[in-house]
Amino acid sequence: MVAMMASLGSVLLVTQILFVVGIELDKAPINADPWDIDGPCQKHVERFARVQSNMVQCATNWSIPPKVCTNCWEHYIAFKQVEYETKHLDNITSLDNRTCTQVIYDNYLLSYSHDISEALTSNIWAKSRCDSCLTITWNFTANDSRVEFANQTTLFQEKLFVWRDCVVNYTDYNDDLFGNGTICQYCKTQFNHLFSYYWDIYVKPGVEFCVDVETTMNDTIHLWNDVWMCAEKKDRNRDTAMAVDNREYLFDIRAWLPKNSAPDCCPRRRQIAISRIRFPIRTKFSRQFTTMLSSFPERIHIHVPISDLLRAIIVILNGL
């Protein structure tokens, strides 16, 4: 009888232990294994991964041309909100009693979450100069961050849409977009208004557009001048400062004040970066110039007055 009672007691003890273990396993995250020391933090990592991947997908989708600022700002806000939350997971701990914030960012030699966030923030958003096109008023604690587009961005978009509407209206009544070249005359006024507005802001010291606007304008000029062949000879001087486009040679030139220089240094000088040069026609000059450029870094920095450089380029091109 005593032996039977002892055996029954052992069975009850084992049952209680299994019951307690079952309760603890039920508390673990759905995808966590019982030996996963960081299991309680996993659902927060998965949520972070989703908003990061949404931002990556949006940036890649809007990469030709790069227009992440005006098309991905909602994903960027969502990503930064969850990033903020993962940095304040102080009340949720791993099985070894470390906060999930420590687990995500400090627990291991590598933090993929941090590295991906840094790439999205510094290499995508910041390098696109998104702050030049919009301002985000952050309110992480209330999850209520707001965006406001810069006035110059809004006006540029309005003038761009006026020109595009003109093209659409023309094509609605003309089967051939290039019929008799009338598309150029039909929408020239709208194009000139767009370009003038863009260029007046572009050349102002200390004022920048985000990459979205610059790439959109570059493609618009290329479409108008080179694809639709709407550029007249007298228009070339107007376009020279941004796109020296003569006899199918295209120079994209960007000017800005030298960094790390004294305020009174070089008052009438700018630092010129010739960032993209391509020669559709392989002439002797183009081959020599391309060979010369191949020995330089990708971006060439020349300290000369803008007007002198542009005049020199025009003289060279007109002499070909």
Side-chain angles (χ1 to χ4, degrees):
M1 184 67 177
V2 174
M4 183 180 296
M5 292 298 295
S7 177
L8 180 59
S10 298
V11 171
L12 291 175
L13 178 61
V14 171
T15 302
Q16 288 178 334
I17 293 174
L18 292 176
F19 179 74
V20 171
V21 171
I23 292 176
E24 292 302 317
L25 289 179
D26 287 340
K27 293 180 180 179
I30 296 175
N31 296 329
D33 293 313
W35 53 82
D36 185 358
I37 195 172
D38 300 324
C41 305
Q42 183 61 35
K43 63 181 180 181
H44 301 285
V45 173
E46 291 175 359
R47 181 166 175 253
F48 196 16
R50 283 193 294 271
V51 294
Q52 285 178 327
S53 63
N54 289 340
M55 182 62 194
V56 170
Q57 182 181 32
C58 185
T60 303
N61 284 339
W62 291 99
S63 62
I64 51 171
K67 293 194 292 186
V68 70
C69 306
T70 54
N71 292 285
C72 301
W73 58 269
E74 291 177 297
H75 292 298
Y76 185 73
I77 289 176
F79 145 64
K80 297 300 286 186
Q81 176 66 38
V82 177
E83 179 188 48
Y84 169 83
E85 293 172 3
T86 60
K87 291 182 177 180
H88 294 80
L89 295 173
D90 301 323
N91 297 323
I92 304 174
T93 60
S94 61
L95 299 184
D96 61 346
N97 206 33
R98 293 175 62 85
T99 69
C100 286
T101 296
Q102 291 175 310
V103 170
I104 294 172
Y105 292 101
D106 302 325
N107 214 31
Y108 299 98
L109 294 176
L110 295 174
S111 172
Y112 298 144
S113 297
H114 171 269
D115 293 343
I116 294 171
S117 294
E118 184 66 20
L120 289 173
T121 303
S122 301
N123 295 339
I124 303 297
W125 191 261
K127 286 187 177 180
S128 297
R129 302 194 302 275
C130 293
D131 291 344
S132 298
C133 276
L134 56 89
T135 300
I136 300 176
T137 302
W138 298 105
N139 187 354
F140 293 122
T141 55
N143 191 12
D144 188 30
S145 299
R146 306 291 180 90
V147 65
E148 181 179 0
F149 286 91
N151 186 56
Q152 65 185 33
T153 306
T154 303
L155 290 177
F156 172 82
Q157 186 180 57
E158 290 176 357
K159 294 181 182 296
L160 177 68
F161 287 166
V162 168
W163 173 74
R164 288 180 177 177
D165 287 342
C166 177
V167 174
V168 171
N169 290 337
Y170 177 84
T171 55
D172 283 344
Y173 298 99
N174 296 271
D175 295 333
D176 184 4
L177 180 64
F178 309 103
N180 300 320
T182 53
I183 180 63
C184 303
Q185 294 301 321
Y186 188 81
C187 298
K188 183 176 181 178
T189 299
Q190 291 83 350
F191 178 82
N192 286 342
H193 287 166
L194 170 64
F195 181 90
S196 296
Y197 175 77
Y198 172 82
W199 185 244
D200 287 345
I201 293 178
Y202 189 87
V203 296
K204 287 182 180 178
V207 179
E208 286 188 318
F209 280 117
C210 61
V211 169
D212 301 44
V213 174
E214 291 185 2
T215 55
T216 298
M217 193 66 218
N218 281 341
D219 283 357
T220 300
I221 292 174
H222 180 55
L223 179 68
W224 183 261
N225 286 356
D226 304 317
V227 178
W228 294 349
M229 306 300 292
C230 288
E232 299 176 5
K233 188 173 182 180
K234 64 181 180 180
D235 295 328
R236 298 297 186 181
N237 290 336
R238 177 204 63 189
D239 300 342
T240 296
M242 183 180 65
V244 179
D245 187 355
N246 195 339
R247 299 187 186 182
E248 296 187 272
Y249 297 90
L250 176 63
F251 291 74
D252 281 352
I253 298 176
R254 180 64 201 271
W256 66 91
L257 285 170
K259 295 181 179 179
N260 303 323
S261 60
D264 57 347
C265 171
C266 313
R268 287 186 295 273
R269 291 178 179 268
R270 297 290 186 271
Q271 187 179 40
I272 307 300
I274 303 178
S275 59
R276 185 181 67 183
I277 302 178
R278 58 184 176 86
F279 296 92
I281 296 179
R282 304 294 295 178
T283 63
K284 178 180 179 181
F285 173 81
S286 71
R287 287 194 296 271
Q288 292 174 345
F289 199 66
T290 303
T291 301
M292 178 188 72
L293 289 177
S294 64
S295 62
F296 287 88
E298 182 179 353
R299 296 178 69 86
I300 304 172
H301 300 284
I302 311 170
H303 292 274
V304 295
I306 293 177
S307 57
D308 292 350
L309 177 62
L310 295 180
R311 279 196 294 269
I313 293 175
I314 294 172
V315 169
I316 292 173
L317 293 177
N318 287 334
L320 294 177

